Amino acid sequence: MPLNRRKFLGNAAATGAGVALAGGVAGPAEAVEQGVAAKGHGHRPKRYSFTVMGTTDLHGNVFNWDYFTDKEFDDKDHNDVGLAKISTLVTAIRKEKGRRNTLLIDAGDTIQGTQLSYYYAKVDPITAKRGPVHPMAQAMNKIGYDAAALGNHEFNYGIPVLRKFEEQCDFPLLGANALDARTLRPAFAPYSIHRMRTPHGRDVKVAVLGLTNPGIAIWDKMNVQGKMVFPGLEEQAAKWVPKLRSMGADVVIVSAHSGSSGTSSYGDQLPYVENAAGLVAEQVPGIDAILVGHAHTEIPEYFVENKQTGRKVLLSEPLKWGQRLTRFDFELVWGRGRWTVEKVGASVLNSNAVQEDPRITGMLADEHKKVVAYVNQVIGSSTAAMTTAEAAWKDEPLIDLINLVQVETVKAALAGGEYAALPVLSQASCFSRTAKVPAGQITIKDAAGLYPFENTLEARLLTGAQIKEYLEYSAKYYVQTPAGTPVDTAKLTNAESTPDYNYDVVSGLTYEIDIAKPKGSRIVGLTFDGKALDPKAQFVFAVNNYRASGGGAFPHIAGSKQLWANSEEIRNTIINWVKAKGTIDPKVFASVEWKLTRDGTPVF
């Protein structure tokens, strides 16, 4: 489809010159001069201060509400979520600093993650003729965002949904490294420029450069292949930051949907680093601060020294889902005909300390009610209650259910074809330790809670030897625990910071994971159909698109032959499967195919 350049004013990007956007330009001065000399006391330097606020990884959270539990959000740390909370924090800072001495930006992953965002992408889509305005666009417009970087999850629903969301926003979506695959020109505005009016005659020009994650090319390959490419953050920052400085930017802020650690979750599938914000600060001179996203971590204030200049670059990441708001405070001084940053600091504010802004909750009350009604639709029943509370260390029926649905779906898709006679194995993860299906009626929210991500299903071809290595890699999730020592489940999992969604169990095989052994040699007793697994045997592997594309850097899978792929979310496949079956009976499908052991003795 042709690229929409509504917000990409002029044709400057085609010539490599960039573009200055009007969004967020400050009006008449409300700035408070800090240190203007009194009469007869000499001349002190002219100073000006302003504040930049930042959010990231909002993931469709407007209300402090969990649509999967159908109640107010809460976690073990008693965090709150949502733009309604963020709005209250923003209002307080604007009151303190003066509205025109502030900017509000975001670092991406905005339109995916809750049933609210899903509803307006799929059930009542914003792309429909006379379709609704996306609740995230409504809320962010009302709060008054000045710019937002693209996140990788912006592409989950396809480019048409993203373009419609962009059209509905009153602020630019920035992505200097999201390029048109044909022309290699920016497909979105690379940056925006904002003028902060001071009491001293000369405006402060603040440039916000948006960078997104190169992993989009593999995670959303079906949506972007042949349409867009995503080169590395360091490369594109090195291209654009000097241009912004040459255009007169006094302050350069990067909004980067990329963590700070310098690591990647997809191994060597792309020649770019996934979490590159720290590398950008270190390698590209001319940046004052970076709003970090993608990693879902909390970094109040972190300085990285630029290798070329020796200057300190400030990084801050405000966790996720609207749980925190980053506050950058800039202090500038006038000298030699220009403004320069004299000092910059950052902190994060906790949204659980304030009430929701009634302007936001009231404006979107109808949308919220529609989604609550949707997720509470009854689609079937279960003969027994099931939960994932212990699924990170035990073979639980709810994970078996995901694998069963995936196996049946793949078998049906391959029926009558070349690979129909091959056995089908399946992978699944414990995405949430709080998912549950009650005994009795099952609603959409119960089924959807098993699979909170918008992953789709694929079938890949693997050998027995490859499956064994896949399982060994997955088993690194467990902390090595010698036989005879106590096992504390609170400390058993997530070794090497491996998240729950990067630990896979594989159905259709029987095996043990010996947690007393070092990683790489933990899979024992691996059998298929009652016999030792044949390393040369071929299997169809039902796998989600994130894993198949290299997410988690599991061995062999990204380079394996694709036999089939589906565009339907696995979550919807589960919902439709439950609707078709009517009643779920775990006695029919639940089995213990894997278990944790130490020297042959079961741990549980």
Side-chain angles (χ1 to χ4, degrees), residues 555-588:
H556 306 299
I557 189 68
S560 63
K561 183 175 182 178
Q562 185 189 75
L563 308 180
W564 171 82
N566 190 12
S567 61
E568 180 80 3
E569 289 93 348
I570 294 171
R571 176 169 58 201
N572 271 351
T573 302
I574 294 171
I575 290 170
N576 291 331
W577 187 91
V578 173
K579 284 181 178 179
K581 295 293 183 183
T583 300
I584 297 175
D585 184 356
K587 292 179 181 178
V588 174

Side-chain angles (χ1 to χ4, degrees), residues 196-461:
M196 316 297 288
R197 293 192 178 171
T198 77
H200 307 298
R202 170 73 167 3
D203 294 348
V204 172
K205 291 177 69 175
V206 181
V208 179
L209 177 68
L211 295 170
T212 192
N213 204 290
I216 295 166
I218 54 175
W219 299 326
D220 270 301
K221 183 178 180 180
M222 292 180 64
N223 290 328
V224 301
Q225 188 173 34
K227 300 174 183 177
M228 294 185 193
V229 294
F230 303 88
L233 282 83
E234 308 101 300
E235 168 193 323
Q236 294 300 303
K239 172 183 176 180
W240 286 103
V241 171
K243 290 183 179 180
L244 295 173
R245 288 294 184 182
S246 70
M247 292 165 58
D250 302 297
V251 180
V252 173
I253 301 166
V254 174
S255 184
H257 192 75
S258 180
S260 63
S261 65
T263 60
S264 290
S265 66
Y266 48 77
D268 59 358
Q269 297 302 306
L270 278 179
Y272 308 117
V273 176
E274 175 185 352
N275 296 303
L279 297 175
V280 171
E282 184 180 82
Q283 297 176 14
V284 182
I287 298 169
D288 295 295
I290 300 179
L291 177 65
V292 179
H294 183 62
H296 290 202
T297 58
E298 182 175 348
I299 304 174
E301 183 180 65
Y302 174 54
F303 288 93
V304 173
E305 183 177 301
N306 184 269
K307 286 185 174 181
Q308 294 187 39
T309 65
R311 290 189 62 217
K312 301 288 187 181
V313 181
L314 176 58
L315 280 66
S316 181
E317 182 174 5
L319 201 55
K320 63 183 188 298
W321 304 349
Q323 294 175 349
R324 303 287 187 274
L325 175 72
T326 279
R327 172 176 176 159
F328 292 106
D329 286 304
F330 290 86
E331 296 182 17
L332 278 66
V333 62
W334 177 265
R336 298 183 180 180
R338 58 171 296 191
W339 289 105
T340 57
V341 175
E342 186 176 55
K343 182 180 178 182
V344 58
S347 59
V348 293
L349 305 177
N350 195 327
S351 65
N352 72 5
V354 297
Q355 298 296 312
E356 291 183 304
D357 186 341
R359 296 181 310 151
I360 306 301
T361 56
M363 178 179 68
L364 294 169
D366 288 344
E367 287 84 346
H368 176 65
K369 289 176 183 176
K370 285 181 182 178
V371 177
V372 169
Y374 165 74
V375 300
N376 281 287
Q377 291 180 41
V378 175
I379 57 173
S381 63
S382 176
T383 61
M386 295 176 281
T387 177
T388 56
E390 296 183 326
W393 54 86
K394 290 182 181 178
D395 189 345
E396 292 284 8
L398 272 184
I399 306 301
D400 294 340
L401 177 60
I402 296 173
N403 277 323
L404 173 64
V405 173
Q406 292 182 165
V407 167
E408 289 191 359
T409 302
V410 167
K411 282 184 175 179
L414 298 180
E418 179 182 356
Y419 301 96
L422 290 181
V424 179
L425 310 179
S426 177
Q427 62 80 223
S429 303
C430 177
F431 295 113
S432 167
R433 299 191 188 188
T434 59
K436 58 185 178 181
V437 167
Q441 291 184 336
I442 299 174
T443 62
I444 284 178
K445 74 172 184 286
D446 297 325
L450 300 181
Y451 221 106
F453 297 105
E454 265 69 34
N455 294 340
T456 56
L457 188 61
E458 296 190 17
R460 296 290 184 116
L461 187 65

